[in-house]
PDB file of all heavy atoms in Angstrom:
ATOM      1  N   MET K  39      -4.195  11.864  11.537  1.00 89.00           N
ATOM      2  CA  MET K  39      -3.520  11.876  12.834  1.00 89.00           C
ATOM      3  C   MET K  39      -3.967  13.069  13.659  1.00 89.00           C
ATOM      4  O   MET K  39      -4.229  12.946  14.871  1.00 89.00           O
ATOM      5  CB  MET K  39      -2.007  11.904  12.626  1.00 89.00           C
ATOM      6  CG  MET K  39      -1.200  11.924  13.911  1.00 89.00           C
ATOM      7  SD  MET K  39       0.572  11.737  13.618  1.00 89.00           S
ATOM      8  CE  MET K  39       0.909  13.232  12.651  1.00 89.00           C
ATOM      9  N   ILE K  46      -9.582  12.032  20.411  1.00 91.00           N
ATOM     10  CA  ILE K  46      -9.256  11.332  21.659  1.00 91.00           C
ATOM     11  C   ILE K  46      -9.282  12.301  22.841  1.00 91.00           C
ATOM     12  O   ILE K  46      -9.798  11.978  23.921  1.00 91.00           O
ATOM     13  CB  ILE K  46      -7.870  10.657  21.542  1.00 91.00           C
ATOM     14  CG1 ILE K  46      -7.930   9.509  20.526  1.00 91.00           C
ATOM     15  CG2 ILE K  46      -7.399  10.148  22.897  1.00 91.00           C
ATOM     16  CD1 ILE K  46      -6.580   8.917  20.201  1.00 91.00           C
ATOM     17  N   ALA K  48     -11.035  15.086  23.078  1.00 89.00           N
ATOM     18  CA  ALA K  48     -12.425  15.462  23.360  1.00 89.00           C
ATOM     19  C   ALA K  48     -13.149  14.353  24.102  1.00 89.00           C
ATOM     20  O   ALA K  48     -13.914  14.602  25.056  1.00 89.00           O
ATOM     21  CB  ALA K  48     -13.144  15.799  22.059  1.00 89.00           C
ATOM     22  N   SER K 119      18.948  34.449   8.176  1.00 83.00           N
ATOM     23  CA  SER K 119      19.157  35.363   9.303  1.00 83.00           C
ATOM     24  C   SER K 119      18.270  36.606   9.211  1.00 83.00           C
ATOM     25  O   SER K 119      18.025  37.267  10.219  1.00 83.00           O
ATOM     26  CB  SER K 119      20.630  35.785   9.377  1.00 83.00           C
ATOM     27  OG  SER K 119      20.987  36.588   8.271  1.00 83.00           O
ATOM     28  N   THR K 125      10.615  30.487   4.961  1.00 75.00           N
ATOM     29  CA  THR K 125      10.680  31.198   3.686  1.00 75.00           C
ATOM     30  C   THR K 125      11.999  30.935   2.980  1.00 75.00           C
ATOM     31  O   THR K 125      12.043  30.722   1.760  1.00 75.00           O
ATOM     32  CB  THR K 125      10.509  32.710   3.909  1.00 75.00           C
ATOM     33  OG1 THR K 125       9.285  32.950   4.605  1.00 75.00           O
ATOM     34  CG2 THR K 125      10.480  33.456   2.588  1.00 75.00           C
ATOM     35  N   SER K 236       4.466  31.870 -24.584  1.00 43.00           N
ATOM     36  CA  SER K 236       3.808  32.873 -23.751  1.00 43.00           C
ATOM     37  C   SER K 236       4.488  33.045 -22.403  1.00 43.00           C
ATOM     38  O   SER K 236       4.292  34.034 -21.724  1.00 43.00           O
ATOM     39  CB  SER K 236       2.333  32.478 -23.531  1.00 43.00           C
ATOM     40  OG  SER K 236       2.259  31.225 -22.874  1.00 43.00           O
ATOM     41  N   ALA K 249      12.811  41.757  -7.828  1.00 91.00           N
ATOM     42  CA  ALA K 249      13.099  42.775  -6.815  1.00 91.00           C
ATOM     43  C   ALA K 249      11.894  42.997  -5.898  1.00 91.00           C
ATOM     44  O   ALA K 249      12.047  43.074  -4.673  1.00 91.00           O
ATOM     45  CB  ALA K 249      13.498  44.084  -7.493  1.00 91.00           C
ATOM     46  N   LEU K 255       9.348  39.625   0.693  1.00 81.00           N
ATOM     47  CA  LEU K 255       9.789  38.652   1.686  1.00 81.00           C
ATOM     48  C   LEU K 255      10.614  39.313   2.789  1.00 81.00           C
ATOM     49  O   LEU K 255      10.429  39.034   3.981  1.00 81.00           O
ATOM     50  CB  LEU K 255      10.608  37.545   1.013  1.00 81.00           C
ATOM     51  CG  LEU K 255       9.861  36.684  -0.014  1.00 81.00           C
ATOM     52  CD1 LEU K 255      10.821  35.737  -0.713  1.00 81.00           C
ATOM     53  CD2 LEU K 255       8.735  35.896   0.656  1.00 81.00           C
ATOM     54  N   LEU K 267       1.887  43.553  14.324  1.00 86.00           N
ATOM     55  CA  LEU K 267       0.899  42.586  13.828  1.00 86.00           C
ATOM     56  C   LEU K 267       1.579  41.275  13.454  1.00 86.00           C
ATOM     57  O   LEU K 267       2.797  41.236  13.240  1.00 86.00           O
ATOM     58  CB  LEU K 267       0.165  43.169  12.617  1.00 86.00           C
ATOM     59  CG  LEU K 267      -0.716  44.384  12.909  1.00 86.00           C
ATOM     60  CD1 LEU K 267      -1.221  45.004  11.616  1.00 86.00           C
ATOM     61  CD2 LEU K 267      -1.893  43.990  13.806  1.00 86.00           C
ATOM     62  N   TRP K 281       0.777  40.835  -6.607  1.00 92.00           N
ATOM     63  CA  TRP K 281      -0.400  40.446  -7.384  1.00 92.00           C
ATOM     64  C   TRP K 281      -0.853  41.612  -8.271  1.00 92.00           C
ATOM     65  O   TRP K 281      -1.080  41.455  -9.474  1.00 92.00           O
ATOM     66  CB  TRP K 281      -1.520  40.044  -6.417  1.00 92.00           C
ATOM     67  CG  TRP K 281      -2.661  39.280  -7.039  1.00 92.00           C
ATOM     68  CD1 TRP K 281      -3.369  39.601  -8.150  1.00 92.00           C
ATOM     69  CD2 TRP K 281      -3.218  38.052  -6.556  1.00 92.00           C
ATOM     70  NE1 TRP K 281      -4.336  38.679  -8.404  1.00 92.00           N
ATOM     71  CE2 TRP K 281      -4.270  37.706  -7.439  1.00 92.00           C
ATOM     72  CE3 TRP K 281      -2.954  37.236  -5.482  1.00 92.00           C
ATOM     73  CZ2 TRP K 281      -5.051  36.563  -7.249  1.00 92.00           C
ATOM     74  CZ3 TRP K 281      -3.726  36.100  -5.303  1.00 92.00           C
ATOM     75  CH2 TRP K 281      -4.750  35.765  -6.177  1.00 92.00           C
ATOM     76  N   ILE K 317       0.430  18.147  10.548  1.00 77.00           N
ATOM     77  CA  ILE K 317       1.531  18.034  11.503  1.00 77.00           C
ATOM     78  C   ILE K 317       1.384  19.071  12.622  1.00 77.00           C
ATOM     79  O   ILE K 317       1.520  18.756  13.811  1.00 77.00           O
ATOM     80  CB  ILE K 317       2.886  18.215  10.791  1.00 77.00           C
ATOM     81  CG1 ILE K 317       3.164  17.032   9.852  1.00 77.00           C
ATOM     82  CG2 ILE K 317       4.017  18.367  11.803  1.00 77.00           C
ATOM     83  CD1 ILE K 317       3.378  15.722  10.563  1.00 77.00           C
ATOM     84  N   LYS K 421      20.565  10.025   5.520  1.00 91.00           N
ATOM     85  CA  LYS K 421      21.476  10.915   4.794  1.00 91.00           C
ATOM     86  C   LYS K 421      21.875  12.176   5.552  1.00 91.00           C
ATOM     87  O   LYS K 421      22.972  12.703   5.348  1.00 91.00           O
ATOM     88  CB  LYS K 421      20.836  11.328   3.458  1.00 91.00           C
ATOM     89  CG  LYS K 421      20.523  10.176   2.510  1.00 91.00           C
ATOM     90  CD  LYS K 421      21.797   9.588   1.931  1.00 91.00           C
ATOM     91  CE  LYS K 421      21.471   8.546   0.861  1.00 91.00           C
ATOM     92  NZ  LYS K 421      22.685   7.975   0.246  1.00 91.00           N
TER      93      LYS K 421
END
Side-chain angles (χ1 to χ4, degrees):
M39 180 172 63
I46 292 172
S119 67
T125 304
S236 61
L255 297 174
L267 294 171
W281 195 310
I317 292 293
K421 299 289 187 178

